[in-house]
Amino acid sequence: MKLVRYGNPGEEKPGLIDEGGTLRDLSAHVDDIGGTTLSDEGLDRLRALDPSSLPAVSGTPRFGPCVAGIGKYLCIGLNYTDHAAETGNPIPEHPILFMKATSAVVGPDDDIVMPRGSTHTDWEVELGVVIGKTAKYVSVEDAMEYVAGFCVINDVSERHFQMHLSGQWTKGKSCDTFGPTGPWLVTRDEVADVQELDMWLDVNGKRMQTGNTRTMIFGVAEIVSHLSQLGSLHPGDVISTGTPPGVGLGMKPPVYLKAGDEVELSIQGLGTQKQRVREDV
């Protein structure tokens, strides 16, 4: 299934995209796309519905973040071999973990708003993993059973804030609008091999990033297992699993976003995002 949340910010309704690409309303069946809806039992109840019996949504409403009420937004850094190389960093021995504030989360096509004084705002196409049931001390072999599905994430980053304002990377990752998430949550049963997904990102129509999840240093199952050893993962938690090469920081000289730029990104089977960049006022 492709599950979505549509409508104005803060007023999103649950929906799904049927096989013909029509947006269908799920409001009569679930309150939102989050919490117990993401459990195997909750998703099975939605699978049992006949999509053609659901009301079709007219027009082209805005898509919000595809997960409601995100508890934790966990991010893995330097998780692609070729991205680690372009930034001059060694291959990590363990997954590098940082947090993105949930207040950064926006819809997939909402504007990227550069914070005041920003001159180093960067892009990162990433595979998002959405947790479906509580995971604690799970093995690599069992880890995928705790995943509800996958989505596209743009891990927008302000590199000066991240690297030169002291403290952790979170400073450069948590600015408002720095977490476009969606458009869809694609349930795990519809992704044949999560470690074989093409991904790309364009800025103003120019291809910047081209990658595939096969070059991850730590795969999805390993990441979920590792994080579950550190603390419980809960339904609706989101994990952003790292980016392939081609970020602005890695270019010589570095290239960063500016007001008026357009960013478009996609992951195979998971949909496309498109954002306009503007300055905060």
Side-chain angles (χ1 to χ4, degrees):
M1 291 181 294
K2 294 183 174 70
L3 301 177
V4 300
R5 302 174 65 248
Y6 68 95
N8 295 327
E11 301 174 351
E12 291 93 348
K13 297 180 179 180
L16 64 77
I17 307 295
D18 69 17
E19 290 186 357
T22 298
L23 172 60
R24 303 277 181 172
D25 181 62
L26 282 173
S27 298
H29 300 277
V30 292
D31 292 332
D32 214 332
I33 306 300
T36 57
T37 300
L38 299 174
S39 68
D40 288 344
E41 296 77 14
L43 294 176
D44 283 343
R45 284 192 290 271
L46 296 183
R47 288 190 188 95
L49 299 173
D50 177 4
S52 65
S53 70
L54 302 171
V57 179
S58 61
T60 54
R62 164 190 175 269
F63 283 165
C66 59
V67 184
I70 297 171
K72 296 189 290 294
Y73 208 110
L74 303 154
C75 302
I76 307 300
L78 299 175
N79 194 34
Y80 282 70
T81 54
D82 30 16
H83 174 55
E86 77 170 342
T87 58
N89 286 287
I91 300 298
E93 183 179 354
H94 305 284
I96 294 173
L97 174 65
F98 61 92
M99 306 287 282
K100 184 184 286 282
T102 56
S103 56
V105 178
V106 290
D109 301 325
D110 291 344
D111 289 350
I112 293 172
V113 182
M114 297 189 302
R116 291 180 182 177
S118 171
T119 57
H120 294 72
T121 297
D122 204 348
W123 57 84
E124 296 187 15
V125 58
E126 304 203 1
L127 172 71
V129 177
V130 182
I131 298 299
K133 62 181 179 180
T134 300
K136 187 172 184 178
Y137 302 135
V138 303
S139 67
V140 173
E141 292 74 20
D142 294 338
M144 296 303 288
E145 298 176 13
Y146 295 82
V147 173
F150 308 97
C151 63
V152 181
I153 288 172
N154 188 355
D155 178 23
V156 185
S157 310
E158 215 299 341
R159 301 301 190 185
H160 180 77
F161 294 4
Q162 176 184 350
M163 298 176 179
H164 300 291
L165 294 189
S166 303
Q168 300 179 343
W169 287 2
T170 300
K171 284 186 177 181
K173 302 285 188 170
S174 293
C175 305
D176 294 347
T177 76
F178 274 24
T181 303
W184 315 312
L185 189 166
V186 179
T187 52
R188 73 173 189 268
D189 59 299
E190 292 202 5
V191 179
D193 186 353
V194 73
Q195 301 303 156
E196 192 61 49
L197 299 178
D198 291 328
M199 54 206 307
W200 56 266
L201 181 146
D202 293 348
V203 178
N204 299 326
K206 180 180 179 181
R207 184 60 43 91
M208 297 298 190
Q209 290 187 272
T210 302
N212 187 288
T213 55
R214 78 172 74 94
T215 70
M216 281 185 177
I217 299 166
F218 306 101
V220 171
E222 190 172 0
I223 290 169
V224 171
S225 175
H226 177 79
L227 295 179
S228 79
Q229 313 304 315
L230 310 176
S232 297
L233 301 174
H234 297 286
D237 285 352
V238 173
I239 306 168
S240 196
T241 57
T243 197
V247 299
L249 174 67
M251 297 182 180
K252 297 180 173 44
V255 176
Y256 296 111
L257 295 171
K258 60 185 183 303
D261 285 347
E262 288 192 349
V263 182
E264 188 169 5
L265 57 149
S266 183
I267 298 177
Q268 181 181 351
L270 304 185
T272 301
Q273 299 185 357
K274 189 171 185 177
Q275 298 114 21
R276 178 180 171 273
V277 181
R278 62 182 174 86
E279 296 177 344
D280 207 351
V281 295

